[in-house]
Amino acid sequence: MQVAAESRVTWDSQKPRELREREESEVMENKGVKEKTMEDGVAAMAACYAGFDPAAYLQYNYTAPRADFTRRDSIVPWKLGCLHRAFTEGDISGGLLVDVGSGPTLYQVLSGCEIFERLVLTDFLEVNRRELKRWLQDQGKSSLDWTPYLQHVCKLEGRGALAWSEKASRLRAVVSDVLPIDVHRPQPLAPGALPSPGADCLVSCFCLESVSPDLDAFTRALGHIGGLLRPKGHLILIGALGESFYQGGPGVQIPVVPLDEAQVCSSLKQNGFTLMRLEVYVLPDDMRVGVDDVSGIFFVKARKE
């Protein structure tokens, strides 16, 4: 084997200079084409969000039947239950929780806000950041009444529904920033946005698969946000299974990377995460309300090594 390797090196070194330069140029050209294709795909995804309507999105996905708190098999109560368990098992702790790609929603941090002293919300779209700020600043202009969500999580915590106003005050107190983010950049947040060790925990719900043109881009984006997390920090990831599109507003159809559980696990492993728990929710027929073609939802709890 050693002789063969040495022979290959010798043969390569004896190639005509023009041939070597042409081959090197072709490699660089192919790399450039691949990078340009990736950039074009990401840009096309960003263009899809130009007409995103937070109020319509919330109406489609965060009202009954998908947010029916009287049903155990409704999507939103299932997600809130997973989040509650993840944050109350005793292994997640620290000072800083970052929500990656918050969208116009708050449900994903209602359990975590009790654990952390500082919480950072993020989103690529200004319209979503503005929606979040309206609720946080208590301007009474939020597009969705989050009271039933607050009440449900309080019940899960054994506090009773009447404690919801305390939880709302707690959430408003610990959110320190609502920041722009681009998960397709190696450094998704502006320099200095987080302390140098990174966040103690990340939450990301329905973000990466819905802003990535393909599986490779999803995996890269997962690696990028992993850079925001300190070693041994935790990742809570919720996303769609088998989904190819969803409605982001009237007439606004946004493509999604159709994922399965194996692909999610592989992407986590490639980016240095250890899977701690994977749960899957399969949509009942009456939850398929025509605003997407999702077949299921995954919940992941993982640790960065």
Side-chain angles (χ1 to χ4, degrees):
M1 293 296 293
Q2 183 65 30
V3 173
E6 290 177 353
S7 298
R8 175 62 184 273
V9 171
T10 302
W11 185 82
D12 283 346
S13 65
Q14 291 176 348
K15 284 183 182 179
R17 179 179 177 182
E18 290 183 1
L19 179 58
R20 293 201 311 270
E21 290 179 346
R22 184 165 66 248
E23 289 178 347
E24 291 171 0
S25 176
E26 289 175 354
V27 169
M28 295 302 295
E29 183 178 343
N30 289 337
K31 181 180 179 181
V33 169
K34 185 176 181 180
E35 291 178 350
K36 181 66 165 56
T37 301
M38 180 186 72
E39 291 172 0
D40 288 347
V42 169
M45 286 298 305
C48 290
Y49 279 87
F52 187 86
D53 183 339
Y57 172 79
L58 290 169
Q59 181 65 34
Y60 296 157
N61 294 284
Y62 295 96
T63 59
R66 291 187 168 184
D68 186 344
F69 295 101
T70 67
R71 290 178 54 176
R72 296 186 64 181
D73 65 342
S74 185
I75 298 174
V76 168
W78 180 84
K79 290 188 292 184
L80 291 176
C82 290
L83 289 161
H84 167 70
R85 289 190 296 276
F87 281 110
T88 55
E89 289 173 328
D91 56 343
I92 294 180
S93 63
L96 176 61
L97 171 64
V98 176
D99 182 26
V100 174
S102 305
T105 65
L106 293 163
Y107 72 91
Q108 63 274 20
V109 293
L110 295 184
S111 292
C113 75
E114 302 290 347
I115 307 296
F116 295 89
E117 293 302 317
R118 182 186 173 201
L119 204 167
V120 174
L121 305 177
T122 70
D123 201 73
F124 181 77
L125 296 179
E126 183 182 357
V127 289
N128 284 337
R129 300 196 300 272
R130 192 161 58 238
E131 173 73 26
L132 296 171
K133 289 176 182 178
R134 279 201 295 264
W135 186 89
L136 291 166
Q137 295 165 5
D138 199 17
Q139 296 178 0
K141 297 179 181 178
S142 179
S143 297
L144 186 73
D145 180 8
W146 292 104
T147 304
Y149 289 75
L150 293 157
Q151 291 174 333
H152 186 77
V153 176
C154 285
K155 289 180 180 178
L156 292 175
E157 295 171 352
R159 299 167 59 189
L162 296 179
W164 72 268
S165 61
E166 296 175 6
K167 181 173 283 292
S169 297
R170 169 72 182 180
L171 180 56
R172 289 187 172 105
V174 299
V175 173
S176 63
D177 297 287
V178 181
L179 302 177
I181 192 169
D182 186 345
V183 300
H184 295 299
R185 294 182 179 275
Q187 188 170 343
L189 292 173
L194 303 181
S196 57
D200 299 291
C201 182
L202 299 181
V203 174
S204 187
C205 300
F206 303 101
C207 173
L208 303 185
E209 72 276 15
S210 61
V211 299
S212 298
D214 52 39
L215 179 59
D216 286 344
F218 170 88
T219 302
R220 282 192 300 271
L222 182 58
H224 293 163
I225 70 169
L228 303 174
L229 187 63
R230 67 166 173 81
K232 306 301 180 182
H234 288 84
L235 170 68
I236 304 297
L237 192 66
I238 299 179
L241 293 170
E243 184 177 42
S244 67
F245 78 92
Y246 78 94
Q247 297 293 333
V252 180
Q253 184 166 297
I254 297 175
V256 179
V257 179
L259 298 173
D260 60 34
E261 297 98 311
Q263 290 169 328
V264 173
C265 293
S266 176
S267 294
L268 288 165
K269 185 176 181 179
Q270 288 179 56
N271 285 294
F273 287 99
T274 296
L275 180 66
M276 302 173 70
R277 184 164 73 247
L278 171 66
E279 298 183 45
V280 172
Y281 170 95
V282 178
L283 266 73
D285 289 342
D286 66 342
M287 297 289 163
R288 302 172 191 264
V289 293
V291 297
D292 52 45
D293 62 349
V294 64
S295 61
I297 298 170
F298 67 85
F299 174 88
V300 158
K301 182 178 182 180
R303 184 178 62 248
K304 180 180 177 180
E305 299 305 332

